Amino acid sequence: MSYPGDFKYTKEHEWIKANGTTATIGITSHAQESLGDIVFVELPKVGTEVAKGKTFGSVESVKAVSDLYSPASGTVTEVNADLATAPENINKDAHSAWLIKIALKDPSELRSLLSSEDYEKFVAEEN
Amino acid sequence: MGAKMVEFNGWDMPVEYPSAGGIIAEHNAVRTGVGIFDVSHMGDIQISGPDSLAAVQHISMNDASKLAIGQAQYSALLYPQGTFVDDVVVHRLGENDYMLVINAGTREKDVSWVRDNCAGFNCAVENLSDDFTQIAIQGPKAENLLQKITPGTDLSSVKSYWFTRGNILCFEKSSRRYLGDILIARTGYTAEDGFEIYVPSDEPTSTSVWNILLEVGKEFGVVPCGLGARNTLRLEGKLPLYGHEISDTINVCEAGLDRFCKMDKPDFIGRSALVHAKDRGLTRTLVGLEMTERGIARDGYRVLDDGGKEVGYVTSGSFAPFLKKNIALAYVPPEFAELGSSLKVEIRNQPVAAKVVPTPFYKRPKKSAS
């Protein structure tokens, strides 16, 4: 499993990819694998404020509900509407099936997140 | 096998087999083909001796006197209040010989409860739970698969809720042998046709039976299934799960299992409470819900009326992999139980619309004449 080097990661298994002052957020390949078949995704509306470390939605597999934690603070600018009808896209490719895009409040917040190497190490230890 | 394991009532059990495609693939394999389940956590209690029928009649709600040798019935053990100790399948093994298949989570409680309540009868109560490993073979192709390793038994002649004893072909590498006298029952917990077999629980034997089922099942597309699929399959079929639809605080009438409770047979534990319960009328009843807005109801979620007042709770809820709907079972007062009634399920503080639908959610198609 490869974790893109230009993403940053959280210990709650989200990824974030910054592009200037905006960023795209999703869950990791490891997260989708441990969840199993994803059947429902609940996401905030465009314009919602999200805060680093706080929940912004949830993802449900057949078995369980998991909260989504935002890797950074900001305002939601776009929501991946395809996931409402095709949540299984996350199982197919978690690193391209993004959840939301946000306008970053403070891009420096990303510095404290995990790099791909750190995240991979973290996952290996967790197992 | 690459199973994702979970601790279940002290047992390490497979919740799903990602290599087989996960819960949805496992579930649909059982609906359309065949899946096999390691259900070794289920327990077995044997009651035998001259008074065994009287004892079974005393401790269970269905009428065991109707059972022929080789026949099984769904039943339940009840507390004097008419609530559930456990639900069981009673098998009549012989003239004065019965076997109850019980749940894992209630095993110790069941065994001591059965012992205590059979004490006045001339019969022996034996806990066989550690002697057998139960393997379930479920799905429209279950008979084809199992027949491959039961050459001496004509499975097509075993009717639903009957069982037989037969030899099971078991091979390891180059050696072949038969396991003799294996109980083969046409029962299950998936709302699909299928069998449950009770093989000796020593690991080499149970493992080799499991492996041979996977091996000879390849031509039928057999899929190993975990507890996750077992739960969604039984939910689609509205089969109760202890601790959810039935428990020590829910009575038989509320659970809608009256048809398995024979009030006209000799007295049994829980009967008089149920007579009173029937006279008083129900204060809550089990209904099927289908979500009509986006959201999945989960166990324990609150059920609200249209005005937002709490009226009940969800006992089991999930995405239903075969029906591709979000469904749930819930207890609500009878006035909300009418088909088509609109209710709300509170999902993370949001009321989400649902309606009462007929149950079972899934009924297997009638077998076409072949």
Side-chain angles (χ1 to χ4, degrees):
Chain A
M1 190 183 308
S2 79
Y3 291 97
D6 56 343
F7 288 14
K8 292 283 211 169
Y9 301 85
T10 68
K11 289 188 175 175
E12 288 77 35
H13 309 288
E14 287 87 13
W15 57 259
I16 181 165
K17 185 191 181 195
N19 182 4
T21 57
T22 67
T24 308
I25 293 169
I27 65 167
T28 68
S29 186
H30 171 76
Q32 69 76 21
E33 201 179 274
S34 19
L35 286 168
D37 293 320
I38 292 170
V39 294
F40 191 80
V41 182
E42 191 175 33
L43 297 172
K45 290 192 176 69
V46 169
T48 307
E49 299 279 331
V50 298
K52 183 176 178 173
K54 297 276 187 262
T55 62
F56 67 91
S58 59
V59 49
E60 300 194 34
S61 66
V62 179
K63 284 286 308 169
V65 189
S66 304
D67 283 329
L68 295 164
Y69 296 91
S70 187
S73 307
T75 309
V76 178
T77 57
E78 226 182 305
V79 174
N80 187 351
D82 292 347
L83 295 180
T85 50
E88 67 276 12
N89 287 352
I90 299 174
N91 292 116
K92 287 179 191 148
D93 185 354
H95 297 153
S96 67
W98 56 278
L99 303 172
I100 55 170
K101 295 187 181 183
I102 63 170
L104 291 168
K105 194 173 170 191
D106 174 9
S108 73
E109 271 185 346
L110 271 63
R111 278 191 224 134
S112 59
L113 299 174
L114 303 174
S115 68
S116 58
E117 291 85 12
D118 293 342
Y119 179 69
E120 235 165 307
K121 231 181 276 169
F122 172 69
V123 167
E125 279 164 19
E126 225 187 20
N127 289 347
Chain B
M1 199 56 231
K4 227 182 265 175
M5 306 297 284
V6 67
E7 141 118 24
F8 179 76
N9 298 309
W11 292 75
D12 254 346
M13 295 299 295
V15 66
E16 64 175 321
Y17 295 85
S19 58
I23 294 178
I24 293 178
E26 293 166 26
H27 181 113
N28 289 326
V30 172
R31 289 277 176 259
T32 60
V34 57
I36 60 172
F37 301 76
D38 167 1
V39 279
S40 46
H41 58 299
M42 301 294 285
D44 324 276
I45 299 175
Q46 187 176 9
I47 301 173
S48 54
D51 284 352
S52 54
L53 174 60
V56 171
Q57 290 287 59
H58 174 62
I59 62 166
S60 66
M61 70 180 193
N62 207 334
D63 188 353
S65 73
K66 294 282 197 296
L67 290 175
I69 294 170
Q71 199 178 9
Q73 69 185 182
Y74 179 79
S75 187
L77 314 177
L78 304 178
Y79 289 110
Q81 299 85 337
T83 60
F84 293 86
V85 178
D86 196 7
D87 63 345
V88 298
V89 178
V90 179
H91 299 68
R92 186 173 179 200
L93 304 176
E95 190 54 40
N96 286 310
D97 195 359
Y98 295 83
M99 181 177 84
L100 314 184
V101 175
I102 58 172
N103 287 298
T106 47
R107 195 158 130 174
E108 299 315 316
K109 175 184 89 170
D110 288 6
V111 172
S112 55
W113 187 88
V114 170
R115 279 193 205 289
D116 290 350
N117 288 289
C118 288
F121 296 88
N122 183 9
C123 64
V125 175
E126 214 178 332
N127 180 8
L128 302 181
S129 305
D130 293 329
D131 299 351
F132 295 111
T133 284
Q134 190 182 334
I135 298 175
I137 303 105
Q138 302 280 303
K141 291 183 185 156
E143 184 186 307
N144 307 67
L145 166 52
L146 188 58
Q147 190 67 77
K148 288 256 165 190
I149 61 164
T150 51
T153 305
D154 175 15
L155 294 180
S156 69
S157 68
V158 181
K159 287 179 286 192
S160 179
Y161 272 79
W162 285 75
F163 60 90
T164 186
R165 287 181 180 276
N167 295 336
I168 291 202
L169 175 64
C170 188
F171 60 76
E172 294 117 37
K173 296 187 185 88
S174 55
S175 74
R176 281 170 163 253
R177 63 182 171 121
Y178 280 99
L179 296 173
D181 203 28
I182 300 297
L183 199 153
I184 303 168
R186 196 160 205 147
T187 52
Y189 191 51
T190 57
E192 212 57 66
D193 185 22
F195 294 85
E196 291 172 305
I197 59 174
Y198 299 77
V199 302
S201 60
D202 65 283
E203 197 167 323
T205 302
S206 50
T207 307
S208 72
V209 173
W210 177 260
N211 289 336
I212 191 179
L213 283 167
L214 287 177
E215 181 61 33
V216 301
K218 275 182 188 157
E219 64 174 291
F220 308 110
V222 68
V223 166
C225 302
L227 290 185
R230 187 170 160 85
N231 186 50
T232 51
L233 285 159
R234 70 95 197 161
L235 175 59
E236 282 186 346
K238 201 202 184 186
L239 302 172
L241 175 62
Y242 197 86
H244 294 252
E245 288 72 36
I246 58 176
S247 77
D248 57 3
T249 59
I250 296 164
N251 75 37
V252 174
C253 309
E254 293 170 329
L257 294 171
D258 314 51
R259 67 189 183 283
F260 302 103
C261 182
K262 305 296 186 222
M263 301 300 275
D264 48 2
K265 75 162 192 173
D267 195 22
F268 57 93
I269 303 171
R271 184 182 182 280
S272 59
L274 291 173
V275 171
H276 292 300
K278 279 182 200 279
D279 288 346
R280 276 197 313 270
L282 291 175
T283 56
R284 59 181 176 175
T285 184
L286 190 66
V287 294
L289 296 179
E290 183 182 317
M291 303 306 298
T292 51
E293 288 180 327
R294 293 188 74 241
I296 301 175
R298 301 283 182 180
D299 315 1
Y301 284 10
R302 302 199 302 162
V303 176
L304 315 174
D305 68 9
D306 260 344
K309 187 173 149 254
E310 180 174 356
V311 295
Y313 69 100
V314 172
T315 55
S316 298
S318 177
F319 169 73
F322 186 74
L323 302 171
K324 296 191 170 58
K325 288 172 180 167
N326 295 325
I327 59 170
L329 292 169
Y331 276 108
V332 298
E335 58 267 35
F336 297 99
E338 209 171 309
L339 292 182
S341 300
S342 18
L343 288 166
K344 309 268 188 200
V345 176
E346 190 179 62
I347 302 178
R348 291 179 289 283
N349 300 319
Q350 292 296 316
V352 180
K355 66 170 183 208
V356 177
V357 295
T359 54
F361 305 98
Y362 170 83
K363 249 191 185 147
R364 79 179 136 109
K366 289 262 180 291
K367 227 180 186 173
S368 55
S370 58

